[in-house]
Structure formats: structure tokens, C-alpha cells
Amino acid sequence: MPTVQSLLANCAIDSVDARILLSHLCSTHLGWPRTYLITHHTDELPTALIEHWYELLQKRLLGYPVAYLIGKKSFHDIELQVNAHVLIPRPETELLVEFAISHIESIFNSPNSIFTPASPMLCLDLGTGSGAIILALASYFKKIPEVFHCLNFFASDISLQAIDLAKLNSKNLDLHKNITFFKSNWLTNFPKHLAFDLVLSNPPYIASDDAHLSHGDLRFEPKVALTDGFDGLNAYRLILKSLSHYLNSGAIVVFEHGFEQAVAIQCLLQDHDFIGVLTNKDFSGSNRITFAQSK
Ligand code: GLN
């Protein structure tokens, strides 16, 4: 009869992926913690689990992403549910969250911070997908109540399925009372009275003719979250066309982008009168985020 040991031996997929999938199945079918994969590796496994295993194995062999198969992905300090309606959160995007955390901390550490619970700092994630960026940020500051009470969080997406999932993730993290979600094509459906102090976005930035779109996980992710269907810069152009109407003076805008797009995005920000435009590199040394301040 099959056991963890026998299923993992001579398995046709990558051994790390196989362990993640089997650990997920043993957790959902048997309530096992991950360590049981080692300590109970010779236990007989039930037929329903084995059938489910072969089903997942088949899908993985076809290239289906592990995160979609197990329905979750770790990001920064949180775990998110994911499905084929949203991009799988990437480690590079944690840089955007780290930047936002440092920025907020430096504001609240300064003696002349203007934000209070009655007049909070408004933070927005444009194109939130699973909610990764805004939820990681809110989750971090929830542990610092004196700052958390002075922050308001907002997130938008064009996809209703993405908004539904981001809302579910906000509930799972007990942050649903702290985040306002908008279904919106960038800023088109935003209430006119809102003025943000921090805007974060990881928009679709892959050019429509980029070969990466037909490789790996990207084949299974929503096209609308990956490419603008054009040169990879259109989302930034569309956002910047109306963003200044929704910013307080001194607001910070932070964009994630492709490793070859930094100069183009710096120019776009300068063309829209932003100041202090700078780019930071990710952990592999590629230009990854560009930020600027509104006048
Ligand atoms: N970083 C993703 C990738 O290269 C793309 C995400 C995006 O377009 N926003 O796979």
C-alpha cells in the first residue's frame, strides 16, 4: 500500500513541489502537521488521498502552478488564498511592502507627523489581486496599534473575482474592518473626495509580445494581471493620467516594474510633475521599484 515514502520515491515532478503537494494532501485529508511527512513516512495512506495525489500530480505535470493546486501562497509575513483569478504573489513584491513599511515608520517616528486617528494617512494598493501588498502592510502595522489607528487602507482591482478573494483574505487575517475595496479600472470608479498619502501598485507590466508569457506559471495566471496587451507601460500611463487628482501634497507613489523599465517609469513620473524620483533594486540586483513624491 502507498506511503509517503513510496509516493515520493521515483516521483515524476520536482521533489520540493512533490513534498509541498503531499504535505497539503496529508494536512487536508488527515490533519497531519508537516513534520509527519518525516515521522510517519511509512504509514499507509487512504485511497481518497492517493486518488487526489495522482490528480494533482497530473496537473503539475501539465505545468499547473503549485500555489493554485494547494490554493495558497506565503507572502511577506502572511499566508494568502490564491486561485486562477489572481497573480501568484512574488517574493520581489515584498520589496514594495518593505519600502512602504519603512516609509510609514519614518513618518510616524518623526516628531511632526500630521496623521491622527481623526485625520489618518490613506494608503492605497492599485490592482490588488489576492490583496497581497495591502494585507501584508496592514498585518504588519496591526501589531503597532498606535500607528495602525492612524492608517486607513484601500485596495482596488478591475476583477470582481480578485476583489472577492482579497476580501476573503482580509477576513482570514481579521483585517476586513480595516480595508475598503473598490472594483475599479485603475482610478475610474474612485470616489472623487479621496486623497491618498501612499499609493502602491504592481500593475501588469509584461509586454504582450514577451516570450515569458508562454512559460512556467505565467501560462496559467490571468493575462490581465500580467500584461497590458501593449508595450508593458500602459498601466503606468493610465494610472498616472488621473492619479494626481487623488493625491495629497507630499504623497508617495511606489511602482513595481520589470527590470528594464526603470528609466521609462522615471520619465513618466517626471512628466507628471513628481519629484524625488528614485529606483531601488531587488535582492537579485535588478531594478524593481521606482518611487516618487507628489508636489
Ligand atoms: N513579476 C511578474 C513576473 O515577471 C509580473 C507581474 C506583473 O506583471 N505585475 O512574472
Side-chain angles (χ1 to χ4, degrees):
M1 277 300 276
T3 63
V4 166
Q5 191 173 37
S6 72
L7 291 182
L8 291 179
N10 310 312
C11 175
I13 61 170
D14 172 84
S15 63
V16 174
D17 291 352
R19 283 191 159 273
I20 294 171
L21 293 180
L22 195 50
S23 168
H24 167 72
L25 291 180
C26 290
S27 163
T28 50
H29 284 257
L30 305 167
W32 283 13
R34 200 180 311 187
T35 49
Y36 275 34
L37 242 54
I38 296 165
T39 55
H40 291 243
H41 68 291
T42 53
D43 285 15
E44 242 174 57
L45 298 172
T47 313
L49 187 154
I50 306 297
E51 281 169 6
H52 202 171
W53 163 254
Y54 284 112
E55 207 180 295
L56 294 191
L57 209 57
Q58 199 63 33
K59 287 189 174 163
R60 184 63 195 135
L61 283 168
L62 293 171
Y64 210 73
V66 173
Y68 288 160
L69 291 175
I70 65 171
K72 58 188 182 202
K73 178 78 183 172
S74 296
F75 177 77
H76 203 252
D77 281 340
I78 58 175
E79 187 171 270
L80 297 153
Q81 288 198 25
V82 293
N83 61 33
H85 295 295
V86 298
L87 197 75
I88 300 164
R90 309 283 203 268
E92 298 88 90
T93 306
E94 294 181 4
L95 189 63
L96 209 74
V97 177
E98 285 298 328
F99 182 94
I101 288 174
S102 315
H103 173 67
I104 294 172
E105 283 183 336
S106 74
I107 287 196
F108 283 89
N109 284 335
S110 103
N112 38 14
S113 161
I114 54 165
F115 302 110
T116 63
S119 173
M121 175 176 185
L122 270 55
C123 308
L124 167 67
D125 175 11
L126 279 171
T128 195
S130 62
I133 294 168
I134 203 75
L135 291 172
L137 190 63
S139 166
Y140 177 89
F141 282 107
K142 198 172 182 187
K143 291 174 241 147
I144 313 174
E146 65 275 22
V147 176
F148 193 64
H149 292 141
C150 303
L151 300 172
N152 270 6
F153 299 96
F154 297 81
S156 73
D157 206 284
I158 193 171
S159 151
L160 195 56
Q161 290 103 325
I163 293 284
D164 286 345
L165 186 63
K167 281 185 179 168
L168 177 67
N169 280 321
S170 71
K171 218 169 173 91
N172 292 342
L173 292 159
D174 197 23
L175 288 166
H176 52 292
K177 294 201 187 89
N178 308 99
I179 303 182
T180 306
F181 291 98
F182 298 118
K183 183 194 175 300
S184 179
N185 183 5
W186 302 126
L187 295 140
T188 48
N189 293 345
F190 271 59
K192 291 277 177 276
H193 67 275
L194 285 175
F196 297 96
D197 302 290
L198 177 63
V199 177
L200 309 163
S201 186
N202 173 21
Y205 57 68
I206 302 178
S208 59
D209 59 356
D210 191 317
H212 287 100
L213 290 170
S214 47
H215 290 113
D217 286 359
L218 280 72
R219 291 169 294 167
F220 299 86
E221 293 180 292
K223 285 283 166 291
V224 69
L226 289 167
T227 178
D228 58 358
F230 194 49
D231 65 349
L233 293 169
N234 231 22
Y236 305 98
R237 292 188 193 103
L238 291 170
I239 293 170
L240 288 171
K241 215 164 100 176
S242 45
L243 188 60
S244 59
H245 302 298
Y246 292 94
L247 295 180
N248 277 324
S249 165
I252 298 287
V253 178
V254 196
F255 287 131
E256 179 176 326
H257 51 73
F259 70 104
E260 292 172 319
Q261 293 172 323
V263 173
I265 289 163
Q266 288 172 4
C267 291
L268 279 173
L269 283 160
Q270 274 150 2
D271 289 349
H272 285 84
D273 275 349
F274 283 87
I275 54 172
V277 183
L278 283 170
T279 295
N280 280 359
K281 292 185 190 301
D282 63 19
F283 44 77
S284 62
S286 302
N287 285 329
R288 185 59 63 195
I289 63 168
T290 292
F291 50 94
Q293 188 165 31
S294 71
K295 272 192 195 158

